[in-house]
Amino acid sequence: MSNLRSIRGMNDIFPEEVRYWQRLESTVSDLLANYGYGEVRFPIVEHTELFRRSIGEVTDIVEKEMYSFDDRNGDNLTLRPEGTAGCVRAAIQKGILNTPQRLWYAGPMFRHERPQKGRQRQFHQVGVEAFGVATPDMDAELIVLTARLWHQLGIADAVELQINSIGNAQTRKRHCTALVEYLERHVDELDEDSRRRLQSNPLRILDSKNPVTQALLDNAPALPDFLDDESAADFSKLCELLGRAGVSFVLNPRLVRGLDYYNKTVFEWVTNKLGAQGTVCAGGRYDGLVEQLGGKSTPGVGFAMGMERLVLLVAELGLSATTFARADVYVVSVGDRAQGLALETVEGLRDILPGYRIVQHVGGGSFKSQMKKADKSGAKVALIWGDDEVDSATVTIKPLRRDVDTGQIGQQNLPLAELEAALVDALTE
RNA sequence: GUGGCCGUAGCUCACCAGGUAGAGCACCGGAUUGUGACUCCGGAGGUAGCGGGUUCAAGACCCGUCGGCCACCCCA
C-alpha cells in the first residue's frame, strides 16, 4: 500500500469538494467571456529552457522547485510551474500578437515545495493575460474584473487589493543599488535570510516578515522615489481608474513579485483567512517578456489565481455550492421480470425527460434495502417495480421528500402510460 | 530545504504504570411474507502509517522512514 499512494502534495478531489470547483470554474469562465476573453489550452510540459528564460535563473522556482526530466530524445522538459511562460510561447508560435489579445487558461501547475494549507505540489491556477496594450487602462480592466469576481463568489469582504509599481529596469536597478548600499550599512541588524538575499535578490528583502528588518526598511530608500516618469504617470492613471470603477486598494510600496519578468504595475489580492498562504490572486505587467522569448516587442499584463485557495475561501464563507443531490428519481425493482420492465421503461423516460437525474438501483437486494438506498440518494421520488406492477403493467411512484408531518404514504400505482405526467408533476412543485 | 506538532476501524476520537484494541457516526442484516427517514436488535470492519530497536511483553518508550498539519522559505 505504501507504494500506491498519491504523490506527496498531489491530492485527489472527490465529488463533494468538486462541487465547489465546478461552481468556481463556471463563474470564472462566464465572467471572462463577458469581458471578451478567449480560452486557450496549451501543454502542461514545455522545454525547461522556456521557464529558465522567463521566470528567471535565480528564482526559487527555477533553482529548486521545478519538476524537470529528460525525455527519450534527451530533451530536458519541465512540468509547468506557472502559466504565463507557456501562454506567451503559444501566442508567439501561433503568431497572433500582431493585434491585442485577451486570453485566459486554467489547469494544473507543478512546484516541488513543502506542502502546506493552500499550497500543493500540483495546484491549479486560472491565468488571464492581455497582450498588445501598453496603457494602464488594460491593467485596470484586469483588476476590475477580479474585483467583480470576488463579489460574484461572495468573498469580496475577505480580500484586499494591494498594488505597487516597480517601474522599468533602470528604476529597479537604481533603487536596488541605493537599497543595497543602505542595507550594507546595517548588515548587523539584518536577519539571516535577508543577509543572504542581499547578494542574490535584494529586492525581495522588502518582503521580509521579520519585524526588525521591516523596521529597518522604514528608513530605507523607497522604490516609488526612483520611479521613472512614465511608470509614475501610468501608475497614477491606474489608481484613478480603479477609483472610478469603485475598486478600493492599498498602496504597498514594498510589494515586489517573485518572477523576474514583471515591470511597472504589480498587484496582489490577499486574505487573512488562509493562514500564511494569503495570496489568492496576483499578477502584473511584463512588457519585456514576449521579446525576451523571441517574439516581437509586445507589452503584456496578466495575473493568476490559485484555485485551491479560492475553493478554501469560497467553501468557508462564500457562495455555497449548488446543493447536490445525486438523483431526482431512484428506481427500485425486485425480481428479474421487474428489473427488465424497469430498465425498459426508464430508458424510455430518459429519452423523453433528458434533464432528469435518474438513478437505477443495481446489485439486487430486498425492497427494504433498495428503499434505503433510494432515501440516501437524495431522490425526490422512488419508482417501484415488483411482481404486482409487472402483472398489471403499472408502476408505483412514491414521494420520498414529503414533510414528515403527515404519516401518509402518499404513493400511487399508475398505468405505465401515466408515468411521465405523474413524474413531471411530482418533480415540479 | 529548515523547525514544531501529529499519524489507532471509512470518519471523529478514546483506552493504556508498556501485557497482544474500544465508542459514536457511517456501512451491512433483521424486527412475520413487496417499501426509506425515527427506534430496537445483530453483524462486518483495524498487521494501531511503515521499518527497525529496547523489553519476558509495545499501538503505547527510542531511532529511522513515509504521510498530514502549522510556521519559515517561497509563492497562486
Side-chain angles (χ1 to χ4, degrees), chain A residues 185-198:
Chain A
R185 278 185 275 129
H186 301 272
V187 215
D188 42 322
E189 298 167 59
L190 277 180
D191 60 278
E192 196 183 327
D193 280 326
S194 296
R195 231 174 286 175
R196 179 172 47 76
R197 280 182 293 207
L198 204 47

Side-chain angles (χ1 to χ4, degrees), chain A residues 313-333:
Chain A
L313 256 193
V314 170
E316 188 178 335
L317 42 81
L319 286 181
S320 57
T322 43
T323 29
F324 176 79
R326 289 179 299 289
D328 297 317
V329 180
Y330 197 92
V331 180
V332 166
S333 68

Side-chain angles (χ1 to χ4, degrees), chain A residues 38-49:
Chain A
E39 181 179 357
V40 283
R41 302 191 179 194
F42 45 86
I44 284 174
V45 183
E46 298 275 0
H47 287 285
T48 300
E49 185 60 16

Side-chain angles (χ1 to χ4, degrees), chain A residues 133-134 261 263-264 285-291 297-301:
Chain A
V133 181
Y261 52 64
N263 70 312
K264 289 187 164 179
R285 184 163 275 281
Y286 47 85
D287 291 336
L289 183 59
V290 174
E291 187 170 19
S297 175
T298 307
V301 217

